[in-house]
Amino acid sequence: MHYLLILVILTSLGGEDFLSEKPQPKILKSGFIYESAPFPSCHASTLVETPEGILAAWFGGTYEKHPDVSIYTALLKNDKWSSPTLAADGIENQTFRNPTWNPVLHQKEDGTLILFYKEGPNPREWWGLYKTSEDQGKSWSKEVQIPPGFLGPVKNKAVVLSDGRLLHPSSFEVNGVWNSHVEFTDPDLKNWEKSTIAGSFSAIQPTVLFHPEEKIQLLFRTREGEIATSWSTDQGKSWSKMEGTGLIHNNSGIDAVTLKSGYHLLLCNPIQKGRNKISLFGSTDGISWEELLVLEDEKEGEFSYPAIIEAQDGTVHLTYTYHRTKIKYIHLTL
């Protein structure tokens, strides 16, 4: 009752402007997941909240595409990150191994953790795999290969739809052609289905936002110098033609999240070339975006492939590649 009364008073006093005031992010913690690791290079982090803390994963090795590139995890518990731990690799036999790529973490409602990742010589020839954990990521099952023609979430997190199914934002990079799509499964990763997205943009690695009346929005990394978008009003069965957002972008990975409040956050590189600037953007409708916080802005260097989630306490956790040598972590509140 008091909250409704405050809304009425604010509106009568021009409160619409007050309520739409630009959010002011406050950084609670900023640093690196690790200072030293058994690998010189890293990339493509992912995050999930577990009952024990925030779990992160990424790939690390000699350099991207090197056969020794494997998937590592670390847990943020009691305000401290654990040491990087090997979770998956591409070892096929005693003499041959493949690099691994783009881990994506997801937690089922029953507490089971899923680690999606890719294996293969390059993104044009890789295939999708996943492992599960019943002990919050301390140990992992044997890998399971995703059915041919599907990859699972290719970079950004899978999301739960209102009917309980999982939507996996995905894409293919074949013969120089980029195509995005979404994949669907039940919570146990059975009954794989796919929905394609039309449009003239060469786009990959979509990320998902939610809107009122069960509308779903995708944002895409593209080769056209801007982030693209597509919408669905039927829980992802069909999608509007992909179109530009006007957000300048450098053709690098992005990630976004819809907060419990309905506000949307986007992490991206808002520059035409290079990966030397990364920023946090906000939007009330997924259409008009404003820069809330510049996370990095240097003359040279790489800050890329971000991940972002909202925790149960309403705070926001995000990570991104830092010069290909570390994973930067930031904890903030709006």
Side-chain angles (χ1 to χ4, degrees), residues 1-265:
M1 180 66 71
H2 292 160
Y3 177 69
L4 291 176
L5 180 60
I6 291 171
L7 285 179
V8 171
I9 294 172
L10 285 173
T11 301
S12 66
L13 296 175
E16 291 181 357
D17 292 335
F18 175 83
L19 294 173
S20 62
E21 186 177 340
K22 180 179 177 180
Q24 299 296 320
K26 178 183 178 182
I27 294 178
L28 304 175
K29 184 176 181 180
S30 176
F32 299 105
I33 290 181
Y34 61 85
E35 291 295 337
S36 62
F39 46 83
S41 179
C42 62
H43 198 37
S45 55
T46 176
L47 293 168
V48 71
E49 184 179 24
T50 76
E52 291 195 8
I54 302 297
L55 186 69
W58 63 90
F59 70 71
T62 301
Y63 55 81
E64 184 176 343
K65 296 184 181 180
H66 192 284
D68 70 5
V69 172
S70 304
I71 308 300
Y72 294 85
T73 64
L75 178 70
L76 178 64
K77 184 177 181 179
N78 299 325
D79 210 33
K80 183 180 180 180
W81 286 100
S82 64
S83 299
T85 302
L86 178 68
D89 57 43
I91 295 176
E92 294 293 331
N93 53 51
Q94 291 182 341
T95 60
F96 180 76
R97 66 187 295 171
N98 280 305
T100 54
W101 312 73
N102 293 17
V104 176
L105 289 165
H106 174 77
Q107 185 162 50
K108 295 170 56 177
E109 290 188 1
D110 65 5
T112 301
L113 273 175
I114 302 174
L115 172 64
F116 297 97
Y117 63 101
K118 313 294 172 287
E119 180 186 334
N122 56 65
R124 293 162 296 285
E125 300 175 270
W126 64 18
W127 55 92
L129 302 160
Y130 68 87
K131 292 185 172 187
T132 59
S133 175
E134 304 297 336
D135 55 12
Q136 304 303 309
K138 296 181 180 68
S139 62
W140 295 94
S141 70
K142 181 177 176 56
E143 68 274 8
V144 177
Q145 186 165 343
I146 292 172
F150 299 87
L151 285 174
V154 76
K155 175 198 173 292
N156 296 317
K157 50 195 171 290
V159 296
V160 181
L161 300 177
S162 60
D163 62 6
R165 292 182 305 154
L166 294 181
L167 183 156
H168 310 282
S170 197
S171 56
F172 289 122
E173 305 174 42
V174 182
N175 298 325
V177 178
W178 286 6
N179 285 306
S180 288
H181 63 276
V182 295
E183 300 171 2
F184 305 93
T185 64
D186 59 33
D188 295 321
L189 304 183
K190 306 295 184 183
N191 304 310
W192 288 80
E193 299 178 0
K194 185 186 300 182
S195 177
T196 58
I197 302 157
S200 59
F201 282 85
S202 185
I204 56 172
Q205 301 173 351
T207 185
V208 186
L209 296 174
F210 290 101
H211 295 268
E213 301 178 357
E214 296 198 335
K215 289 180 66 176
I216 304 174
Q217 180 185 12
L218 296 177
L219 296 173
F220 307 84
R221 164 188 178 177
T222 81
R223 286 171 165 166
E224 276 71 34
E226 66 175 312
I227 293 173
T229 189
S230 178
W231 299 75
S232 175
T233 57
D234 56 11
Q235 290 293 281
K237 296 177 183 177
S238 62
W239 295 89
S240 66
K241 185 177 180 180
M242 201 181 299
E243 59 184 5
T245 61
L247 283 168
I248 295 174
H249 199 248
N250 66 339
N251 181 18
S252 182
I254 65 174
D255 196 16
V257 66
T258 300
L259 305 180
K260 288 176 284 188
S261 66
Y263 192 71
H264 312 287
L265 296 177

